[in-house]
Amino acid sequence: MLNWLQTLLGRRRTDAASIPEPLWHSTLLRYPFLAHRPEAKQLRLRELVSQFLAKKEFTGAHGLVITDEIAVAIAAQACLPVLHLGLGWYDDFRGIVVHPGAMLARRHTTDQAGVVHHYSEALLGEAMEGGPVTLSWQDVAAAGMLAAQGHNVVIHEFVHKIDMRDGAANGCPPLPSSAAYASWHAVMQPAYEAFCEQVTMAERFGGEPPWLDRYGATAPAEFFAVACEAYFVNRDRFTLDFAALTTLFDQFFEPNRPPAQ
């Protein structure tokens, strides 16, 4: 860790130090989708990042040293989804593990004959229910360049954390009423089904491939996370394909946002 983060963590947990101007400025330059927000939102984000860093514990894997640059970059992207919701949405975990690059996770599956198959899966990140978030720094660092394609591994994994708040990653965050759940599914389900159909047509019949990451077609929870990546880092392009989801996400992530004209 470099000096600023060490100083921050030496303070009382509730006494978050302001991020140094050069460090914050370099973060905005590296991730333009953070800078392309009104000044008031940038100020709110900067304050939230300081609070986030005071509450979380970063661990570098395989010799990776957690620097101020790494910690602030991850925190700034992680705080985007809760900019208007508050850090309470992340209070069920503390650890963030950062690998230099993609990590290999051991998996197993059982086929219809009852045979168990073991394999390794390369992961850019992983969110565990009640546990830490794991990220590849290589992919976090590239987020500024990947925003045009709607990709962001930090937002993806932290949206999974939001999704898991009610105990299940199912593509729907905790909502205040049965009516709110019904409204959510009335928009998300047809969008998910249409996206899965587009992916199938592209893969099997040579149809036009979707702009959104086709990994979203693997499960409703992944569709929610993939859609949120694009919504936060390339809102205009995302809205071209998913205008109804933009409205839905606005209502959840920024409930006081004026409706689009």
Side-chain angles (χ1 to χ4, degrees):
M1 296 183 189
L2 296 184
N3 292 335
W4 175 76
L5 189 55
Q6 288 176 327
T7 300
L8 173 63
L9 296 180
R11 290 167 173 250
R12 290 180 293 111
R13 287 284 177 182
T14 57
D15 184 19
S18 177
I19 301 170
E21 186 64 36
L23 177 59
W24 184 247
H25 181 66
S26 65
T27 302
L28 296 182
L29 285 178
R30 187 164 192 170
Y31 306 102
F33 57 86
L34 298 176
H36 294 164
R37 281 172 161 75
E39 185 176 349
K41 291 187 178 183
Q42 288 188 35
L43 179 60
R44 168 61 179 157
L45 180 64
R46 185 171 177 175
E47 294 172 346
L48 208 63
V49 168
S50 291
Q51 296 167 19
F52 178 96
L53 290 170
K55 295 175 181 292
K56 302 305 179 188
E57 292 185 355
F58 285 78
T59 303
H62 303 292
L64 181 69
V65 176
I66 301 297
T67 63
D68 290 352
E69 173 195 15
I70 291 174
V72 172
I74 291 172
Q77 294 170 72
C79 286
L80 272 182
V82 295
L83 185 61
H84 302 278
L85 299 176
L87 289 178
W89 285 80
Y90 295 155
D91 65 5
D92 61 335
F93 73 100
R94 192 161 169 179
I96 299 167
V97 181
V98 189
H99 290 245
M103 60 220 79
L104 288 178
R106 294 180 179 178
R107 304 293 196 211
H108 69 272
T109 185
T110 304
D111 62 24
Q112 294 181 344
V115 178
V116 178
H117 301 270
H118 296 271
Y119 63 98
S120 295
E121 180 181 11
L123 300 177
L124 307 183
E126 187 172 29
M128 296 177 230
E129 185 177 347
V133 172
T134 304
L135 297 164
S136 157
W137 171 241
Q138 181 180 20
D139 293 274
V140 174
M145 296 180 291
L146 296 174
Q149 289 79 48
H151 295 314
N152 189 286
V153 66
V154 178
I155 292 173
H156 184 107
E157 300 307 334
F158 278 83
V159 164
H160 276 321
K161 277 295 191 181
I162 292 173
D163 191 2
M164 293 173 181
R165 289 285 298 189
D166 57 2
N170 57 11
C172 181
L175 296 171
S177 67
S178 57
Y181 280 106
S183 296
W184 182 276
H185 288 294
V187 178
M188 284 291 289
Q189 189 62 31
Y192 174 60
E193 291 174 355
F195 180 70
C196 290
E197 178 68 17
Q198 185 180 11
V199 169
T200 297
M201 293 299 293
E203 292 180 346
R204 298 183 182 179
F205 306 107
E208 182 179 359
W211 171 74
L212 197 67
D213 186 353
R214 64 184 63 191
Y215 184 64
T218 58
E222 298 301 342
F223 179 65
F224 178 38
V226 165
C228 285
E229 293 180 59
Y231 166 78
F232 281 107
V233 304
N234 197 339
R235 176 191 174 90
D236 290 344
R237 178 62 185 85
F238 175 74
T239 303
L240 289 178
D241 291 349
F242 299 98
L245 286 187
T246 294
T247 300
L248 183 70
F249 291 170
D250 283 349
Q251 293 168 349
F252 176 73
F253 289 108
E254 193 175 352
N256 295 320
R257 182 188 183 100
Q261 300 296 322

